[in-house]
Amino acid sequence: MRHPASWAALLVLSAAWQLVLGSAAGGGRRSPHNIVLILTDDQDTEIEGMTPMKKTQALIGQAGVSFRNAFTVTPLCCPSRSSLLSGRYPHNHLVRNNSLEGNCSSPAWQKNQEPLAFPSFLQKQGYQTFYAGKYLNQYGHPAAGGVQHVPLGWSYWNGLVGNSRYYNYTLSANGREERHGQRYQDDYLTDLITNRSLEFLQKWSHPPFLMVLAPPASHSPWTAAPGYATAYNTTKAPRNGSFNVHGKDKHWLVRQARSPMANTSIEFLDKAYRERWQTLLSVDDLVEKVVGRLKALDLLASTYVFYTSDNGYHAGQFSLPIDKRQLYEFDIRVPLLVRGPGIKANQTRLVSPAQPSTWRADFLVQYTGEGHPDRDPACPALGPGVSQCFPDCVCEDAFNNTYACIRALHPHSLQYCEFADRQAFVELYNLTADPHQLHNVARSVDPTLLEALNQRLIKLQACEGPSCRA
């Protein structure tokens, strides 16, 4: 497949990049601009996940543009991050889940996709490139080159080995193993990313540069910095929309959730919700310090700063306790804020470029479900094939939680999904009339609409290269 010959690979949501290109158009050849991408983990927008980000919203959103229609193409960390790096849908980069067997940071990924990822492209254009934080969930695995493997395209590399952690982790520092413990001043990962990014900026000597900062927040284990450990101590997950509502007419995995939820489940998800916000306060500090250092070094005016997340999250929606992996808005919508040269302040936009007639009307969302081949001993009645089960036997994933969706933005706001299960189960939502996706209307609409959506979905699932943007 042809590599995308644009910086759209910086964000799969390439409309943001078209805005950047449009703002810099005209006037002859210009010097390349610096780029900072701040990528959080599991940060939602639909259940108020941006609320703790006061500084971020002021320094990036209010100083630039906040996009209201920003989405991931798959609601799971490694496949989503692989799409961000490559600018490709999962069916093209072939990362199915967070496991090495699922192609997450595997030798095949390293050989076939890393050479074509956007940092390699930018490095070849003369960029100094800096990475700090979580990369892909299986990065550093001994079967995939260990910490000695530094992905192509990075001049300065501080990659977290494995999944998100805040203390007691290992970094690959330019291919050298670096172990960290649980001393806050030296080891708290979000702050370490902040400090190393500031050091890079202070030592940086010539333009242009790319920085990707990928803190662990707001992923579990939700360990707050000491100064924030008691913040939001009375906060609860929002009780509106689809919270604690039975997912009728939905895929069996959602229907199996208990409604109303047990008090123990609600107490658990409220605690997790608070702790997620607590971890994000350190990310808010990161944004403030990085933007401040850019300004102090007279670099802010020549730098684009992006803020986004790899996927959304839920906490009690359709009575599912906590996780992502579902097709609904709470799991696929992500924050997207951009500031930089030529971008006017205080803008709020849908994801659409300067020339809407040339932009896509829809896009593809894909997910490959995961399960265990044996019965969960704690929940034997559920049978084999499920995973991510809570003590009250509500499971968040299953082998046949495998789906592909069209998310249409205009002329109508729709979502159409087909499951790869024995039923070939279908879900369809009119998000204009039903923004919380409470009513699956697949059985009540004109069959010709279903046929048209099915044909469009087939086309998207087979797309490659430019045809994915048609």
Side-chain angles (χ1 to χ4, degrees):
M1 185 180 76
R2 193 176 74 175
H3 176 57
S6 75
W7 291 348
L10 177 62
L11 292 171
V12 174
L13 306 162
S14 58
W17 187 247
Q18 291 201 23
L19 174 69
V20 171
L21 294 179
S23 69
R29 185 176 179 84
R30 301 188 181 190
S31 299
H33 294 296
N34 308 310
I35 301 169
V36 176
L37 169 61
I38 300 163
L39 175 63
T40 57
D41 199 344
D42 289 0
Q43 187 174 10
D44 67 275
T45 62
E46 292 296 282
I47 56 170
E48 303 178 15
M50 285 296 290
T51 301
M53 313 306 293
K54 309 299 185 189
K55 301 168 187 175
T56 299
Q57 295 189 68
L59 294 170
I60 305 179
Q62 293 171 26
V65 58
S66 299
F67 289 100
R68 293 294 180 243
N69 270 349
F71 298 86
T72 183
V73 295
T74 186
L76 189 64
C77 298
C78 196
S80 175
R81 289 165 181 260
S82 300
S83 288
L84 266 171
L85 288 162
S86 66
R88 293 171 172 161
Y89 281 125
H91 71 268
N92 285 321
H93 62 59
L94 302 179
V95 179
R96 299 183 301 278
N97 55 46
N98 289 341
S99 70
L100 201 62
E101 296 76 17
N103 203 28
C104 179
S105 199
S106 69
W109 160 267
Q110 295 169 12
K111 178 182 177 181
N112 299 319
Q113 301 297 330
E114 282 182 350
L116 301 178
F118 76 82
S120 280
F121 174 77
L122 292 179
Q123 191 179 60
K124 290 173 184 175
Q125 306 306 309
Y127 276 71
Q128 291 191 61
T129 57
F130 173 92
Y131 196 100
K134 177 176 174 177
Y135 179 58
L136 301 173
N137 297 56
Q138 296 299 324
Y139 172 73
H141 193 287
V147 298
Q148 293 76 27
H149 172 71
V150 176
L152 291 174
W154 298 105
S155 312
Y156 303 91
W157 176 253
N158 299 271
L160 175 67
V161 173
N163 204 359
S164 286
R165 303 186 73 167
Y166 299 81
Y167 293 111
N168 299 310
Y169 56 86
T170 299
L171 287 182
S172 170
N174 294 322
R176 177 180 55 84
E177 183 179 80
E178 185 180 283
R179 293 184 177 271
H180 287 265
Q182 50 190 12
R183 176 179 164 84
Y184 169 71
Q185 293 84 348
D186 300 324
D187 301 317
Y188 190 71
L189 182 54
T190 303
D191 289 1
L192 182 145
I193 292 168
T194 304
N195 294 334
R196 294 200 177 176
S197 66
L198 299 179
E199 291 170 7
F200 169 78
L201 289 172
Q202 199 68 43
K203 295 176 181 177
W204 168 82
S205 58
H206 61 83
F209 64 80
L210 161 72
M211 292 176 59
V212 177
L213 311 179
S218 51
H219 198 287
S220 61
W222 311 308
T223 309
Y228 295 133
T230 59
Y232 304 116
N233 59 4
T234 61
T235 297
K236 296 181 179 180
R239 273 23 181 196
N240 58 348
S242 57
F243 181 84
N244 208 5
V245 172
H246 185 254
K248 62 180 180 180
D249 297 326
K250 289 178 168 49
H251 191 247
W252 75 268
L253 184 67
V254 178
R255 295 199 309 270
Q256 57 88 32
R258 298 182 180 183
S259 297
M261 288 183 285
N263 288 337
T264 51
S265 292
I266 294 177
E267 291 168 3
F268 173 80
L269 70 86
D270 279 338
K271 182 174 184 292
Y273 190 88
R274 288 192 291 274
E275 291 175 345
R276 283 163 48 79
W277 276 20
Q278 291 167 359
T279 67
L280 285 167
L281 290 171
S282 293
V283 180
D284 209 33
D285 290 343
L286 178 156
V287 171
E288 179 185 43
K289 291 177 182 178
V290 169
V291 171
R293 183 61 56 89
L294 288 167
K295 184 177 181 180
L297 296 173
D298 199 25
L299 295 170
L300 190 57
S302 59
T303 301
Y304 289 103
V305 183
F306 292 80
Y307 184 95
T308 191
S309 176
D310 55 4
N311 49 255
Y313 207 73
H314 59 258
Q317 283 61 48
F318 297 124
S319 300
L320 296 168
I322 56 164
D323 200 45
K324 50 259 186 173
R325 306 170 204 262
Q326 305 302 328
L327 57 90
Y328 308 106
E329 297 285 281
F330 41 75
D331 283 358
I332 65 172
R333 280 188 180 266
V334 294
L336 178 57
L337 292 72
V338 190
R339 68 170 292 166
I343 298 179
K344 295 179 181 179
N346 290 308
Q347 295 184 76
T348 300
R349 292 193 182 187
L350 301 177
V351 175
S352 58
Q355 298 176 324
S357 62
T358 65
W359 187 236
R360 71 187 79 182
D362 54 26
F363 60 91
L364 179 66
V365 177
Q366 299 170 291
Y367 180 72
T368 302
E370 297 181 82
H372 298 300
D374 302 318
R375 293 175 184 266
D376 184 334
C379 306
L382 294 175
V386 295
S387 65
Q388 309 295 316
C389 298
F390 286 82
D392 54 3
C393 294
V394 175
C395 299
E396 296 275 3
D397 208 0
F399 282 131
N400 69 354
N401 183 41
T402 295
Y403 55 80
C405 304
I406 294 172
R407 179 61 171 91
L409 298 172
H410 61 83
H412 304 289
S413 184
L414 299 173
Q415 188 177 29
Y416 171 83
C417 302
E418 296 181 0
F419 283 83
D421 61 10
R422 278 183 275 181
Q423 290 181 287
F425 195 78
V426 172
E427 296 188 27
L428 175 63
Y429 300 97
N430 177 342
L431 284 108
T432 302
D434 179 23
H436 299 296
Q437 297 168 288
L438 299 173
H439 307 291
N440 177 9
V441 296
R443 295 181 182 178
S444 60
V445 298
D446 187 335
T448 59
L449 173 61
L450 294 180
E451 176 63 21
L453 291 168
N454 168 262
Q455 291 304 306
R456 177 59 178 157
L457 183 58
I458 290 171
K459 183 177 179 180
L460 280 173
Q461 287 181 284
C463 75
E464 290 185 287
S467 70
C468 292
R469 299 188 290 274

